[in-house]
Amino acid sequence: MGKNEENDALTKNKPSTEKDILSELELKMKKYLRGESANLEGLKDKKLKGQLAIKEQLYGKSAQAAAKAEKWLMPSEGGYLEAEGLEKTWRIKQETIAQEVDISSSRKQYDIILPELGPYTLDFTSSGRYMAVGGRKGHLGIVDMINLSLIRELQVRETVRDVVFLHNELFFAAAQKKYSYIYNREGTELHCLKEHGPVLRLQFLKNHFLLATLNKFGQLRYQDVTMGSMAGSFKTGLGRTDVMQVNPFNGVVSLGHSGGTVTMWKPTSSAPLVKMLCHQGPVSALAFHSNGHLMATAGKDKKVKLWDLRKFEVLQTLPGHANTLDFSQKGLLACGNGSLVQVLRDVSGTQNYSRYMTHSMVKGYQVGKLIFRPYEDVLGIGHSTGWSSILIPGAGEPNFDSWVANPFETSKQRREKEIRALLDKLPPETIMLDPSKIGTVKPKREKPTKEEKEAEIEAAVEAAKGMKLKNKTKGRNKSGKRVQKKQDAVTRVKRPYLEQKIQEEENLSRKKQKTSEGVELPKSLQRFARKKPSS
């Protein structure tokens, strides 16, 4: 009897575990689904409707496969610092963290001091394997972050304002004193971008293969690095600025200006897509969350603001000033000002950020650039006397997808990935505020019926008849003149509807005439066709 009861209990518990697993997979599927499915009910084309329905099924299957892979195949999980009792995470020092982590992680915490060549700016590849460094006094270099070995360094002997990797670690661009240059991994100069002028900031759009530059005259330019052509060149008209960032979700370039405004641009529009007032003083830094819906701005008014880009509303305002901002892959926000670095975290998941970690640099070090290393819990700091690296638990994505970014890829895999990226290259026209609109069905605009038009005309006529007229003197207030004025008002109201009706009739007659001219009658009926007048 006891064995039977145990078997019954096991069979009762089994479905509940399966249900738990299914519910967990459903939650994970939502993360991988490509938004809401398209509404196909309004489509009349059966073939197109069937094709889109098959695509939607494929999207669902791929999301399910990704959810299963995350559930059963992901080797590691992310974690954060957790305080006990009254302890605060932001009080934990880097020395304490270095004592607790393993040897390979402790190696990622270091300081490189080069006071004669700073201040430094940094950039990582999408896989986080390689880092490009640029010193203001002309020092350029590429570092392998896994081996911590210097691949190549060169001295250009002029001012370097910014560096950025192109589609992989083989090419990088540097904004120098007079022009921007593109170098290969060996340090050989490949191109001189004279058309861009003295550039202050560089950004690379990896899905579109576009190099975006902002020069000191306030001009924004886009260079297609595959064809070498200029994709767009615009004057912002808001003066000089060195605040520029790309939204990773949609490829829109955002600029922060001295008037406190933030403008958003795409290469096919000479006017900004959005122009929003963010601060009461100059904008000093910008950063975008990887989901593309959250933007962080810092201004000289000593405020850091978080914005919801779907509504263009402020979600949170934090006190403090920041010269540089950056979001990690897991949503941590790093703020740097002077010699202090602060990391903020959204603990509750409701876009309510609070202090997570702090780090004080050596007195006199001025932080110039903060950038999180992809797929690692590491924050890179470019400062006035070199660059540093500190550990931020929970910052990076714990698992990498080798099809997207592989830190251990071979030369053959890199070639295949480069060819695939070139084949999948997106045209500049696909850059827009809401890229999810691409591929959706545009709803057909229904014309108003005859009864609705008549009702609209009647309502407009009644409103015109009920209009009150001003009392006038010297015989201009007679009843005959008042009736005439009301009649004129009614005709003015009716005129646009009548003109529209006449236009529609003319268009219909033209269409009929074209179709009748294009159709050739059979020989037996051609003698009844209307003959064209001879000229």
Side-chain angles (χ1 to χ4, degrees), residues 213-390:
T213 65
L214 180 68
N215 64 19
K216 68 179 185 181
F217 305 115
Q219 293 174 330
L220 176 65
R221 288 186 166 92
Y222 293 86
Q223 184 93 29
D224 189 337
V225 298
T226 58
M227 306 297 292
S229 59
M230 189 72 73
S233 178
F234 314 112
K235 291 183 178 180
T236 59
L238 295 170
R240 176 173 173 156
T241 179
D242 61 348
V243 180
M244 179 169 74
Q245 199 67 36
V246 172
N247 189 336
F249 175 65
N250 52 22
V252 173
V253 173
S254 295
L255 308 177
H257 301 280
S258 58
T261 57
V262 170
T263 55
M264 299 183 184
W265 300 79
K266 66 176 184 176
T268 55
S269 175
S270 59
L273 300 173
V274 177
K275 186 177 180 181
M276 51 193 293
L277 181 65
C278 296
H279 293 274
Q280 297 300 319
V283 178
S284 57
L286 268 177
F288 288 96
H289 196 282
S290 56
N291 63 14
H293 304 316
L294 189 64
M295 178 178 73
T297 61
K300 299 289 185 182
D301 56 355
K302 295 185 179 180
K303 289 179 183 177
V304 177
K305 294 184 180 181
L306 295 167
W307 298 82
D308 186 352
L309 294 180
R310 291 166 291 188
K311 299 178 181 178
F312 296 103
E313 292 179 354
V314 180
L315 292 173
Q316 190 180 2
T317 302
L318 300 164
H321 178 55
N323 289 325
T324 175
L325 296 170
D326 191 43
F327 274 105
S328 75
Q329 289 178 317
K330 301 297 281 185
L332 301 183
L333 176 62
C335 312
N337 179 41
S339 58
L340 180 67
V341 177
Q342 276 191 343
V343 180
L344 309 176
R345 181 189 168 198
D346 179 18
V347 181
S348 59
T350 57
Q351 312 298 347
N352 188 16
Y353 277 77
S354 57
R355 187 161 46 167
Y356 174 56
M357 288 186 70
T358 58
H359 177 67
S360 295
M361 306 293 294
V362 177
K363 191 175 180 181
Y365 289 10
Q366 297 297 309
V367 176
K369 180 74 177 283
L370 295 178
I371 183 167
F372 282 99
R373 183 180 166 191
Y375 304 103
E376 294 285 350
D377 294 343
V378 170
L379 176 64
I381 306 170
H383 49 81
S384 55
T385 57
W387 71 89
S388 304
S389 177
I390 60 173

